[in-house]
Amino acid sequence: MSKKVCVVLAGCGVYDGAEIYESVFTLLALEKAGANVTCVAPDVPQMHVINHATGEVIEGEGRNVFLESSRVARGNITPIADVKGGDFDALVLPGGFGVAKNLSTIAVDGAGASVNPDVQRLILEANSAGKVIGAICIAPTVVAKVLGEKKVELTIGNDEGFADLIRSTGAIHCLASVTDIVVDESNRVVSTPAYMLGEKMADVQAGIDKLIAKVLEMA
Amino acid sequence: MSKKVCVVLAGCGVYDGAEIYESVFTLLALEKAGANVTCVAPDVPQMHVINHATGEVIEGEGRNVFLESSRVARGNITPIADVKGGDFDALVLPGGFGVAKNLSTIAVDGAGASVNPDVQRLILEANSAGKVIGAICIAPTVVAKVLGEKKVELTIGNDEGFADLIRSTGAIHCLASVTDIVVDESNRVVSTPAYMLGEKMADVQAGIDKLIAKVLEMA
């Protein structure tokens, strides 16, 4: 029977939303493996809107995380409030700054950040039901914020600032290269650095392909 | 020496911009082949903004094609006005409704549509310099509008309405399946139906992989 996987999106664009390439590679790997995918996102305002050509904030413009995420999902998207972690065999969080800006306040508050209540609930529900969690790029920081007390083992590559943030939650940071995955068998969490380290699309895809294969094997 | 390829983007999102998956598969295939890629887009307003969760127009909201395209390109983007068709070995146009709404008026005006002046110029410059043009999904309709008098052979899959539009320009429409390409050797144009027919990401990717391989072989 095909595995049911929930993909949590954070908008549409590396600097203020979900990282587009990571999200597409995640969905492609899941489709190829025959998984039954549900994309979800919170119905909340983005922290801000970034001009992706300059990197600057566009003042006075607002966007909604659910609507922007629906672009990445080609319309096939469900409000995160409508799903439970136990409904799926696995949960996967692609990266992008939206994870640190819209799914949590990590971009602003660092180690003192809060996590969107539905994202926190979904991760806790999935973990307590023994489901598998896959976290890509910056997303392991959010998993650490929620599951840090369980000493979950995670990677964000080799960025010392974010590794410190992960360690401050009680979680354990493991160094990894862009095409590697880190597997925490006991907490059932798999992570890969993706664009925390990646320069080539093919390398990012290779790491995500490994992550999805491992998540589905464990699920 | 690596081939220089210009990728023309039409925004960010299937219903009002560039089709995201097609754009990502195009860029991935080009990167894997070692091509030197320049993403371009026109600095013009989108025709409108679509709520991708409902398919409805969001009244009162406006976006810029160049800025939205910069999301797909992760910031590595050039105004189309700054490039010439002869500067590249090949030109590739991914699909998405943005091609028919922002790069041309095909979505509104059908066979009587106009093409964005810079898109028209780039296609004419590329063609007259003997460069190769790859057109994906709905983009062959724009190529037909510009090169129809040359009896260019193209596919948009099997949609009779768009096939009629292509024929009305003098171009020749060829039936094709989602994983096929149609090659016009004399006009040096390659096309594939992608999401005009596709249901699976992997099928769309297979067609685009074939298109990019052929474009680079001919370039």
PDB file of all heavy atoms in Angstrom, chain A residues 12 16 19 21 31 50-53 63 68 70-72 74-75 195 201-202, chain B residues 12 16 19 21 31 50 52-53 63 68 70-72 74-75 195 201-202:
ATOM      1  N   CYS A  12       6.445  30.339  -1.186  1.00  0.00           N
ATOM      2  CA  CYS A  12       6.924  30.048  -2.543  1.00  0.00           C
ATOM      3  C   CYS A  12       8.070  30.975  -2.912  1.00  0.00           C
ATOM      4  O   CYS A  12       7.849  32.040  -3.488  1.00  0.00           O
ATOM      5  CB  CYS A  12       5.778  30.179  -3.536  1.00  0.00           C
ATOM      6  SG  CYS A  12       6.234  29.853  -5.235  1.00  0.00           S
ATOM      7  N   ASP A  16      11.649  34.158   1.229  1.00  0.00           N
ATOM      8  CA  ASP A  16      10.518  34.458   2.121  1.00  0.00           C
ATOM      9  C   ASP A  16       9.518  33.323   2.222  1.00  0.00           C
ATOM     10  O   ASP A  16       8.457  33.476   2.835  1.00  0.00           O
ATOM     11  CB  ASP A  16       9.813  35.761   1.706  1.00  0.00           C
ATOM     12  CG  ASP A  16       9.246  35.696   0.277  1.00  0.00           C
ATOM     13  OD1 ASP A  16       9.148  34.593  -0.288  1.00  0.00           O
ATOM     14  OD2 ASP A  16       8.906  36.771  -0.259  1.00  0.00           O
ATOM     15  N   GLU A  19      11.703  26.867  -0.197  1.00  0.00           N
ATOM     16  CA  GLU A  19      12.689  26.818  -1.271  1.00  0.00           C
ATOM     17  C   GLU A  19      12.059  26.005  -2.408  1.00  0.00           C
ATOM     18  O   GLU A  19      11.693  24.839  -2.220  1.00  0.00           O
ATOM     19  CB  GLU A  19      13.986  26.171  -0.766  1.00  0.00           C
ATOM     20  CG  GLU A  19      15.247  26.706  -1.448  1.00  0.00           C
ATOM     21  CD  GLU A  19      15.291  26.408  -2.911  1.00  0.00           C
ATOM     22  OE1 GLU A  19      15.122  25.229  -3.266  1.00  0.00           O
ATOM     23  OE2 GLU A  19      15.472  27.318  -3.728  1.00  0.00           O
ATOM     24  N   TYR A  21      13.121  24.725  -5.387  1.00  0.00           N
ATOM     25  CA  TYR A  21      13.761  23.518  -5.942  1.00  0.00           C
ATOM     26  C   TYR A  21      13.665  22.365  -4.935  1.00  0.00           C
ATOM     27  O   TYR A  21      13.368  21.221  -5.302  1.00  0.00           O
ATOM     28  CB  TYR A  21      15.217  23.762  -6.298  1.00  0.00           C
ATOM     29  CG  TYR A  21      15.488  24.880  -7.286  1.00  0.00           C
ATOM     30  CD1 TYR A  21      16.790  25.294  -7.538  1.00  0.00           C
ATOM     31  CD2 TYR A  21      14.470  25.515  -7.975  1.00  0.00           C
ATOM     32  CE1 TYR A  21      17.071  26.315  -8.444  1.00  0.00           C
ATOM     33  CE2 TYR A  21      14.733  26.537  -8.872  1.00  0.00           C
ATOM     34  CZ  TYR A  21      16.034  26.943  -9.098  1.00  0.00           C
ATOM     35  OH  TYR A  21      16.305  27.957  -9.981  1.00  0.00           O
ATOM     36  N   GLU A  31       6.534  11.233  -5.593  1.00  0.00           N
ATOM     37  CA  GLU A  31       5.700  10.712  -6.685  1.00  0.00           C
ATOM     38  C   GLU A  31       6.327   9.476  -7.307  1.00  0.00           C
ATOM     39  O   GLU A  31       5.666   8.463  -7.529  1.00  0.00           O
ATOM     40  CB  GLU A  31       5.479  11.780  -7.754  1.00  0.00           C
ATOM     41  CG  GLU A  31       4.527  11.309  -8.849  1.00  0.00           C
ATOM     42  CD  GLU A  31       4.762  12.000 -10.182  1.00  0.00           C
ATOM     43  OE1 GLU A  31       5.599  11.522 -10.981  1.00  0.00           O
ATOM     44  OE2 GLU A  31       4.081  13.008 -10.433  1.00  0.00           O
ATOM     45  N   ILE A  50       9.976  39.377  -0.028  1.00  0.00           N
ATOM     46  CA  ILE A  50      11.317  39.743  -0.488  1.00  0.00           C
ATOM     47  C   ILE A  50      11.344  39.854  -2.017  1.00  0.00           C
ATOM     48  O   ILE A  50      10.801  38.987  -2.716  1.00  0.00           O
ATOM     49  CB  ILE A  50      12.352  38.686  -0.026  1.00  0.00           C
ATOM     50  CG1 ILE A  50      12.451  38.642   1.509  1.00  0.00           C
ATOM     51  CG2 ILE A  50      13.720  38.947  -0.649  1.00  0.00           C
ATOM     52  CD1 ILE A  50      13.231  39.774   2.136  1.00  0.00           C
ATOM     53  N   ASN A  51      11.954  40.915  -2.500  1.00  0.00           N
ATOM     54  CA  ASN A  51      12.289  41.041  -3.914  1.00  0.00           C
ATOM     55  C   ASN A  51      13.432  40.062  -4.169  1.00  0.00           C
ATOM     56  O   ASN A  51      14.554  40.275  -3.690  1.00  0.00           O
ATOM     57  CB  ASN A  51      12.720  42.494  -4.182  1.00  0.00           C
ATOM     58  CG  ASN A  51      13.222  42.714  -5.588  1.00  0.00           C
ATOM     59  OD1 ASN A  51      13.813  41.831  -6.198  1.00  0.00           O
ATOM     60  ND2 ASN A  51      13.012  43.925  -6.101  1.00  0.00           N
ATOM     61  N   HIS A  52      13.148  38.973  -4.877  1.00  0.00           N
ATOM     62  CA  HIS A  52      14.161  37.927  -5.049  1.00  0.00           C
ATOM     63  C   HIS A  52      15.269  38.326  -6.031  1.00  0.00           C
ATOM     64  O   HIS A  52      16.287  37.636  -6.119  1.00  0.00           O
ATOM     65  CB  HIS A  52      13.512  36.601  -5.461  1.00  0.00           C
ATOM     66  CG  HIS A  52      12.950  35.832  -4.297  1.00  0.00           C
ATOM     67  ND1 HIS A  52      11.993  36.351  -3.449  1.00  0.00           N
ATOM     68  CD2 HIS A  52      13.221  34.590  -3.814  1.00  0.00           C
ATOM     69  CE1 HIS A  52      11.701  35.465  -2.507  1.00  0.00           C
ATOM     70  NE2 HIS A  52      12.433  34.385  -2.714  1.00  0.00           N
ATOM     71  N   ALA A  53      15.084  39.424  -6.749  1.00  0.00           N
ATOM     72  CA  ALA A  53      16.149  39.902  -7.644  1.00  0.00           C
ATOM     73  C   ALA A  53      17.191  40.719  -6.878  1.00  0.00           C
ATOM     74  O   ALA A  53      18.360  40.744  -7.256  1.00  0.00           O
ATOM     75  CB  ALA A  53      15.559  40.725  -8.789  1.00  0.00           C
ATOM     76  N   ARG A  63       1.685  38.885   1.824  1.00  0.00           N
ATOM     77  CA  ARG A  63       1.215  37.665   1.162  1.00  0.00           C
ATOM     78  C   ARG A  63       0.835  36.643   2.217  1.00  0.00           C
ATOM     79  O   ARG A  63       1.250  36.742   3.369  1.00  0.00           O
ATOM     80  CB  ARG A  63       2.291  37.101   0.220  1.00  0.00           C
ATOM     81  CG  ARG A  63       2.585  38.023  -0.934  1.00  0.00           C
ATOM     82  CD  ARG A  63       3.470  37.398  -2.002  1.00  0.00           C
ATOM     83  NE  ARG A  63       3.741  38.395  -3.038  1.00  0.00           N
ATOM     84  CZ  ARG A  63       4.430  38.176  -4.141  1.00  0.00           C
ATOM     85  NH1 ARG A  63       4.942  36.969  -4.367  1.00  0.00           N
ATOM     86  NH2 ARG A  63       4.613  39.135  -5.033  1.00  0.00           N
ATOM     87  N   GLU A  68       0.523  31.259  -1.178  1.00  0.00           N
ATOM     88  CA  GLU A  68       1.803  31.150  -1.894  1.00  0.00           C
ATOM     89  C   GLU A  68       2.225  29.688  -2.003  1.00  0.00           C
ATOM     90  O   GLU A  68       2.699  29.241  -3.043  1.00  0.00           O
ATOM     91  CB  GLU A  68       2.882  32.003  -1.230  1.00  0.00           C
ATOM     92  CG  GLU A  68       2.594  33.503  -1.253  1.00  0.00           C
ATOM     93  CD  GLU A  68       2.141  34.007  -2.617  1.00  0.00           C
ATOM     94  OE1 GLU A  68       2.861  33.772  -3.598  1.00  0.00           O
ATOM     95  OE2 GLU A  68       1.047  34.610  -2.708  1.00  0.00           O
ATOM     96  N   SER A  70       0.303  27.230  -2.261  1.00  0.00           N
ATOM     97  CA  SER A  70      -0.558  26.568  -3.253  1.00  0.00           C
ATOM     98  C   SER A  70       0.047  26.668  -4.653  1.00  0.00           C
ATOM     99  O   SER A  70      -0.257  25.847  -5.522  1.00  0.00           O
ATOM    100  CB  SER A  70      -1.978  27.139  -3.221  1.00  0.00           C
ATOM    101  OG  SER A  70      -2.041  28.435  -3.796  1.00  0.00           O
ATOM    102  N   ARG A  71       0.908  27.650  -4.886  1.00  0.00           N
ATOM    103  CA  ARG A  71       1.624  27.735  -6.172  1.00  0.00           C
ATOM    104  C   ARG A  71       2.576  26.551  -6.333  1.00  0.00           C
ATOM    105  O   ARG A  71       2.638  25.931  -7.393  1.00  0.00           O
ATOM    106  CB  ARG A  71       2.423  29.045  -6.250  1.00  0.00           C
ATOM    107  CG  ARG A  71       1.537  30.269  -6.315  1.00  0.00           C
ATOM    108  CD  ARG A  71       2.309  31.578  -6.299  1.00  0.00           C
ATOM    109  NE  ARG A  71       1.342  32.655  -6.431  1.00  0.00           N
ATOM    110  CZ  ARG A  71       0.947  33.168  -7.595  1.00  0.00           C
ATOM    111  NH1 ARG A  71       1.498  32.760  -8.720  1.00  0.00           N
ATOM    112  NH2 ARG A  71       0.018  34.091  -7.650  1.00  0.00           N
ATOM    113  N   VAL A  72       3.309  26.240  -5.270  1.00  0.00           N
ATOM    114  CA  VAL A  72       4.265  25.117  -5.310  1.00  0.00           C
ATOM    115  C   VAL A  72       3.514  23.793  -5.475  1.00  0.00           C
ATOM    116  O   VAL A  72       4.022  22.861  -6.092  1.00  0.00           O
ATOM    117  CB  VAL A  72       5.119  25.094  -4.026  1.00  0.00           C
ATOM    118  CG1 VAL A  72       6.032  23.880  -3.992  1.00  0.00           C
ATOM    119  CG2 VAL A  72       5.934  26.388  -3.896  1.00  0.00           C
ATOM    120  N   ARG A  74       0.672  23.357  -7.076  1.00  0.00           N
ATOM    121  CA  ARG A  74      -0.228  23.416  -8.235  1.00  0.00           C
ATOM    122  C   ARG A  74      -1.695  23.290  -7.795  1.00  0.00           C
ATOM    123  O   ARG A  74      -2.516  22.647  -8.449  1.00  0.00           O
ATOM    124  CB  ARG A  74       0.090  22.333  -9.265  1.00  0.00           C
ATOM    125  CG  ARG A  74       1.494  22.441  -9.858  1.00  0.00           C
ATOM    126  CD  ARG A  74       1.747  21.417 -10.951  1.00  0.00           C
ATOM    127  NE  ARG A  74       1.509  21.959 -12.280  1.00  0.00           N
ATOM    128  CZ  ARG A  74       0.550  21.554 -13.097  1.00  0.00           C
ATOM    129  NH1 ARG A  74      -0.279  20.606 -12.731  1.00  0.00           N
ATOM    130  NH2 ARG A  74       0.400  22.101 -14.280  1.00  0.00           N
ATOM    131  N   GLY A  75      -2.012  23.928  -6.674  1.00  0.00           N
ATOM    132  CA  GLY A  75      -3.409  23.991  -6.227  1.00  0.00           C
ATOM    133  C   GLY A  75      -3.830  22.863  -5.308  1.00  0.00           C
ATOM    134  O   GLY A  75      -4.880  22.955  -4.654  1.00  0.00           O
ATOM    135  N   TYR A 195      20.121  23.242   0.455  1.00  0.00           N
ATOM    136  CA  TYR A 195      20.697  24.553   0.138  1.00  0.00           C
ATOM    137  C   TYR A 195      21.349  25.249   1.331  1.00  0.00           C
ATOM    138  O   TYR A 195      21.872  26.356   1.175  1.00  0.00           O
ATOM    139  CB  TYR A 195      19.669  25.469  -0.523  1.00  0.00           C
ATOM    140  CG  TYR A 195      19.611  25.266  -2.019  1.00  0.00           C
ATOM    141  CD1 TYR A 195      18.500  24.693  -2.626  1.00  0.00           C
ATOM    142  CD2 TYR A 195      20.682  25.619  -2.826  1.00  0.00           C
ATOM    143  CE1 TYR A 195      18.456  24.490  -4.006  1.00  0.00           C
ATOM    144  CE2 TYR A 195      20.649  25.414  -4.199  1.00  0.00           C
ATOM    145  CZ  TYR A 195      19.536  24.856  -4.781  1.00  0.00           C
ATOM    146  OH  TYR A 195      19.504  24.657  -6.144  1.00  0.00           O
ATOM    147  N   MET A 201      22.039  22.235  -8.184  1.00  0.00           N
ATOM    148  CA  MET A 201      20.713  21.634  -8.049  1.00  0.00           C
ATOM    149  C   MET A 201      20.832  20.112  -7.919  1.00  0.00           C
ATOM    150  O   MET A 201      20.116  19.492  -7.131  1.00  0.00           O
ATOM    151  CB  MET A 201      19.856  21.958  -9.280  1.00  0.00           C
ATOM    152  CG  MET A 201      19.567  23.431  -9.485  1.00  0.00           C
ATOM    153  SD  MET A 201      18.681  23.760 -11.051  1.00  0.00           S
ATOM    154  CE  MET A 201      16.995  23.348 -10.586  1.00  0.00           C
ATOM    155  N   ALA A 202      21.726  19.517  -8.719  1.00  0.00           N
ATOM    156  CA  ALA A 202      21.835  18.054  -8.740  1.00  0.00           C
ATOM    157  C   ALA A 202      22.299  17.513  -7.387  1.00  0.00           C
ATOM    158  O   ALA A 202      21.866  16.432  -6.963  1.00  0.00           O
ATOM    159  CB  ALA A 202      22.793  17.614  -9.841  1.00  0.00           C
TER     160      ALA A 202
ATOM    161  N   CYS B  12       5.799  33.093 -11.727  1.00  0.00           N
ATOM    162  CA  CYS B  12       6.047  31.995 -10.779  1.00  0.00           C
ATOM    163  C   CYS B  12       4.731  31.382 -10.310  1.00  0.00           C
ATOM    164  O   CYS B  12       4.162  31.803  -9.301  1.00  0.00           O
ATOM    165  CB  CYS B  12       6.844  32.523  -9.583  1.00  0.00           C
ATOM    166  SG  CYS B  12       7.227  31.293  -8.335  1.00  0.00           S
ATOM    167  N   ASP B  16      -0.783  31.849 -13.386  1.00  0.00           N
ATOM    168  CA  ASP B  16      -0.563  33.243 -13.789  1.00  0.00           C
ATOM    169  C   ASP B  16       0.896  33.534 -14.128  1.00  0.00           C
ATOM    170  O   ASP B  16       1.252  34.692 -14.366  1.00  0.00           O
ATOM    171  CB  ASP B  16      -1.043  34.221 -12.707  1.00  0.00           C
ATOM    172  CG  ASP B  16      -0.347  34.016 -11.360  1.00  0.00           C
ATOM    173  OD1 ASP B  16       0.695  33.342 -11.311  1.00  0.00           O
ATOM    174  OD2 ASP B  16      -0.850  34.534 -10.343  1.00  0.00           O
ATOM    175  N   GLU B  19       5.193  27.829 -15.255  1.00  0.00           N
ATOM    176  CA  GLU B  19       4.893  26.572 -14.564  1.00  0.00           C
ATOM    177  C   GLU B  19       6.161  26.206 -13.778  1.00  0.00           C
ATOM    178  O   GLU B  19       7.236  26.026 -14.357  1.00  0.00           O
ATOM    179  CB  GLU B  19       4.509  25.497 -15.579  1.00  0.00           C
ATOM    180  CG  GLU B  19       3.517  24.473 -15.062  1.00  0.00           C
ATOM    181  CD  GLU B  19       4.063  23.665 -13.897  1.00  0.00           C
ATOM    182  OE1 GLU B  19       5.150  23.083 -14.050  1.00  0.00           O
ATOM    183  OE2 GLU B  19       3.419  23.624 -12.833  1.00  0.00           O
ATOM    184  N   TYR B  21       7.203  23.510 -11.971  1.00  0.00           N
ATOM    185  CA  TYR B  21       7.893  22.220 -12.154  1.00  0.00           C
ATOM    186  C   TYR B  21       8.616  22.189 -13.507  1.00  0.00           C
ATOM    187  O   TYR B  21       9.754  21.733 -13.604  1.00  0.00           O
ATOM    188  CB  TYR B  21       6.921  21.039 -12.070  1.00  0.00           C
ATOM    189  CG  TYR B  21       6.128  20.928 -10.785  1.00  0.00           C
ATOM    190  CD1 TYR B  21       5.091  20.005 -10.682  1.00  0.00           C
ATOM    191  CD2 TYR B  21       6.397  21.721  -9.677  1.00  0.00           C
ATOM    192  CE1 TYR B  21       4.352  19.875  -9.513  1.00  0.00           C
ATOM    193  CE2 TYR B  21       5.659  21.608  -8.514  1.00  0.00           C
ATOM    194  CZ  TYR B  21       4.624  20.681  -8.439  1.00  0.00           C
ATOM    195  OH  TYR B  21       3.884  20.565  -7.296  1.00  0.00           O
ATOM    196  N   GLU B  31      21.595  22.318 -16.080  1.00  0.00           N
ATOM    197  CA  GLU B  31      22.739  22.257 -15.162  1.00  0.00           C
ATOM    198  C   GLU B  31      23.466  20.923 -15.286  1.00  0.00           C
ATOM    199  O   GLU B  31      24.692  20.874 -15.371  1.00  0.00           O
ATOM    200  CB  GLU B  31      22.282  22.458 -13.714  1.00  0.00           C
ATOM    201  CG  GLU B  31      23.453  22.510 -12.746  1.00  0.00           C
ATOM    202  CD  GLU B  31      23.094  22.095 -11.328  1.00  0.00           C
ATOM    203  OE1 GLU B  31      23.140  20.867 -11.031  1.00  0.00           O
ATOM    204  OE2 GLU B  31      22.759  22.976 -10.529  1.00  0.00           O
ATOM    205  N   ILE B  50      -3.558  35.010  -9.672  1.00  0.00           N
ATOM    206  CA  ILE B  50      -4.531  33.939  -9.425  1.00  0.00           C
ATOM    207  C   ILE B  50      -4.288  33.317  -8.052  1.00  0.00           C
ATOM    208  O   ILE B  50      -3.143  33.032  -7.687  1.00  0.00           O
ATOM    209  CB  ILE B  50      -4.426  32.848 -10.518  1.00  0.00           C
ATOM    210  CG1 ILE B  50      -4.804  33.407 -11.898  1.00  0.00           C
ATOM    211  CG2 ILE B  50      -5.288  31.635 -10.166  1.00  0.00           C
ATOM    212  CD1 ILE B  50      -6.263  33.612 -12.138  1.00  0.00           C
ATOM    213  N   HIS B  52      -4.011  30.278  -6.332  1.00  0.00           N
ATOM    214  CA  HIS B  52      -3.754  28.925  -6.856  1.00  0.00           C
ATOM    215  C   HIS B  52      -4.486  27.832  -6.086  1.00  0.00           C
ATOM    216  O   HIS B  52      -4.516  26.675  -6.529  1.00  0.00           O
ATOM    217  CB  HIS B  52      -2.245  28.653  -6.910  1.00  0.00           C
ATOM    218  CG  HIS B  52      -1.585  29.240  -8.121  1.00  0.00           C
ATOM    219  ND1 HIS B  52      -1.608  30.586  -8.423  1.00  0.00           N
ATOM    220  CD2 HIS B  52      -0.893  28.654  -9.145  1.00  0.00           C
ATOM    221  CE1 HIS B  52      -0.953  30.803  -9.565  1.00  0.00           C
ATOM    222  NE2 HIS B  52      -0.508  29.646 -10.020  1.00  0.00           N
ATOM    223  N   ALA B  53      -5.062  28.173  -4.949  1.00  0.00           N
ATOM    224  CA  ALA B  53      -5.860  27.179  -4.206  1.00  0.00           C
ATOM    225  C   ALA B  53      -7.279  27.080  -4.773  1.00  0.00           C
ATOM    226  O   ALA B  53      -7.910  26.026  -4.693  1.00  0.00           O
ATOM    227  CB  ALA B  53      -5.893  27.530  -2.720  1.00  0.00           C
ATOM    228  N   ARG B  63       1.274  42.018  -9.609  1.00  0.00           N
ATOM    229  CA  ARG B  63       2.652  41.543  -9.450  1.00  0.00           C
ATOM    230  C   ARG B  63       3.425  41.825 -10.727  1.00  0.00           C
ATOM    231  O   ARG B  63       2.831  42.029 -11.790  1.00  0.00           O
ATOM    232  CB  ARG B  63       2.673  40.040  -9.116  1.00  0.00           C
ATOM    233  CG  ARG B  63       2.037  39.740  -7.761  1.00  0.00           C
ATOM    234  CD  ARG B  63       2.254  38.321  -7.300  1.00  0.00           C
ATOM    235  NE  ARG B  63       1.545  38.108  -6.031  1.00  0.00           N
ATOM    236  CZ  ARG B  63       1.579  36.997  -5.326  1.00  0.00           C
ATOM    237  NH1 ARG B  63       2.269  35.948  -5.758  1.00  0.00           N
ATOM    238  NH2 ARG B  63       0.920  36.900  -4.193  1.00  0.00           N
ATOM    239  N   GLU B  68       8.549  38.108 -10.001  1.00  0.00           N
ATOM    240  CA  GLU B  68       8.055  36.754  -9.707  1.00  0.00           C
ATOM    241  C   GLU B  68       8.969  35.701 -10.332  1.00  0.00           C
ATOM    242  O   GLU B  68       9.267  34.676  -9.713  1.00  0.00           O
ATOM    243  CB  GLU B  68       6.611  36.598 -10.179  1.00  0.00           C
ATOM    244  CG  GLU B  68       5.616  37.500  -9.445  1.00  0.00           C
ATOM    245  CD  GLU B  68       5.807  37.498  -7.936  1.00  0.00           C
ATOM    246  OE1 GLU B  68       5.799  36.418  -7.328  1.00  0.00           O
ATOM    247  OE2 GLU B  68       5.998  38.597  -7.360  1.00  0.00           O
ATOM    248  N   SER B  70      12.064  35.963 -10.714  1.00  0.00           N
ATOM    249  CA  SER B  70      13.314  35.906  -9.938  1.00  0.00           C
ATOM    250  C   SER B  70      13.202  34.885  -8.805  1.00  0.00           C
ATOM    251  O   SER B  70      14.218  34.375  -8.321  1.00  0.00           O
ATOM    252  CB  SER B  70      13.688  37.286  -9.398  1.00  0.00           C
ATOM    253  OG  SER B  70      12.847  37.691  -8.330  1.00  0.00           O
ATOM    254  N   ARG B  71      11.981  34.558  -8.376  1.00  0.00           N
ATOM    255  CA  ARG B  71      11.783  33.488  -7.377  1.00  0.00           C
ATOM    256  C   ARG B  71      12.194  32.135  -7.961  1.00  0.00           C
ATOM    257  O   ARG B  71      12.877  31.347  -7.313  1.00  0.00           O
ATOM    258  CB  ARG B  71      10.314  33.424  -6.930  1.00  0.00           C
ATOM    259  CG  ARG B  71       9.910  34.659  -6.142  1.00  0.00           C
ATOM    260  CD  ARG B  71       8.429  34.678  -5.781  1.00  0.00           C
ATOM    261  NE  ARG B  71       8.191  35.863  -4.985  1.00  0.00           N
ATOM    262  CZ  ARG B  71       8.290  35.904  -3.648  1.00  0.00           C
ATOM    263  NH1 ARG B  71       8.531  34.805  -2.953  1.00  0.00           N
ATOM    264  NH2 ARG B  71       8.109  37.036  -3.003  1.00  0.00           N
ATOM    265  N   VAL B  72      11.751  31.878  -9.181  1.00  0.00           N
ATOM    266  CA  VAL B  72      12.072  30.600  -9.848  1.00  0.00           C
ATOM    267  C   VAL B  72      13.575  30.496 -10.099  1.00  0.00           C
ATOM    268  O   VAL B  72      14.152  29.409 -10.052  1.00  0.00           O
ATOM    269  CB  VAL B  72      11.294  30.482 -11.172  1.00  0.00           C
ATOM    270  CG1 VAL B  72      11.696  29.216 -11.922  1.00  0.00           C
ATOM    271  CG2 VAL B  72       9.788  30.502 -10.919  1.00  0.00           C
ATOM    272  N   ARG B  74      15.944  31.830  -8.247  1.00  0.00           N
ATOM    273  CA  ARG B  74      16.708  32.067  -7.015  1.00  0.00           C
ATOM    274  C   ARG B  74      17.572  33.336  -7.124  1.00  0.00           C
ATOM    275  O   ARG B  74      18.700  33.373  -6.651  1.00  0.00           O
ATOM    276  CB  ARG B  74      17.594  30.862  -6.642  1.00  0.00           C
ATOM    277  CG  ARG B  74      16.814  29.599  -6.386  1.00  0.00           C
ATOM    278  CD  ARG B  74      17.693  28.443  -5.933  1.00  0.00           C
ATOM    279  NE  ARG B  74      17.727  28.323  -4.475  1.00  0.00           N
ATOM    280  CZ  ARG B  74      18.792  28.532  -3.734  1.00  0.00           C
ATOM    281  NH1 ARG B  74      19.940  28.884  -4.270  1.00  0.00           N
ATOM    282  NH2 ARG B  74      18.727  28.380  -2.425  1.00  0.00           N
ATOM    283  N   GLY B  75      17.000  34.357  -7.739  1.00  0.00           N
ATOM    284  CA  GLY B  75      17.672  35.650  -7.795  1.00  0.00           C
ATOM    285  C   GLY B  75      18.593  35.862  -8.985  1.00  0.00           C
ATOM    286  O   GLY B  75      18.967  36.991  -9.279  1.00  0.00           O
ATOM    287  N   TYR B 195       2.921  19.888 -19.311  1.00  0.00           N
ATOM    288  CA  TYR B 195       1.624  19.907 -18.598  1.00  0.00           C
ATOM    289  C   TYR B 195       0.421  20.224 -19.486  1.00  0.00           C
ATOM    290  O   TYR B 195      -0.699  20.260 -18.975  1.00  0.00           O
ATOM    291  CB  TYR B 195       1.675  20.847 -17.389  1.00  0.00           C
ATOM    292  CG  TYR B 195       2.206  20.158 -16.148  1.00  0.00           C
ATOM    293  CD1 TYR B 195       3.438  20.504 -15.612  1.00  0.00           C
ATOM    294  CD2 TYR B 195       1.481  19.135 -15.531  1.00  0.00           C
ATOM    295  CE1 TYR B 195       3.939  19.846 -14.486  1.00  0.00           C
ATOM    296  CE2 TYR B 195       1.972  18.485 -14.420  1.00  0.00           C
ATOM    297  CZ  TYR B 195       3.203  18.844 -13.897  1.00  0.00           C
ATOM    298  OH  TYR B 195       3.688  18.186 -12.795  1.00  0.00           O
ATOM    299  N   MET B 201       4.536  14.231 -12.625  1.00  0.00           N
ATOM    300  CA  MET B 201       5.744  15.035 -12.697  1.00  0.00           C
ATOM    301  C   MET B 201       6.824  14.300 -13.487  1.00  0.00           C
ATOM    302  O   MET B 201       7.538  14.907 -14.291  1.00  0.00           O
ATOM    303  CB  MET B 201       6.281  15.324 -11.286  1.00  0.00           C
ATOM    304  CG  MET B 201       5.355  16.155 -10.425  1.00  0.00           C
ATOM    305  SD  MET B 201       5.972  16.313  -8.703  1.00  0.00           S
ATOM    306  CE  MET B 201       7.176  17.636  -8.889  1.00  0.00           C
ATOM    307  N   ALA B 202       6.959  12.996 -13.259  1.00  0.00           N
ATOM    308  CA  ALA B 202       8.033  12.225 -13.890  1.00  0.00           C
ATOM    309  C   ALA B 202       7.871  12.197 -15.407  1.00  0.00           C
ATOM    310  O   ALA B 202       8.864  12.212 -16.141  1.00  0.00           O
ATOM    311  CB  ALA B 202       8.079  10.812 -13.325  1.00  0.00           C
TER     312      ALA B 202
END
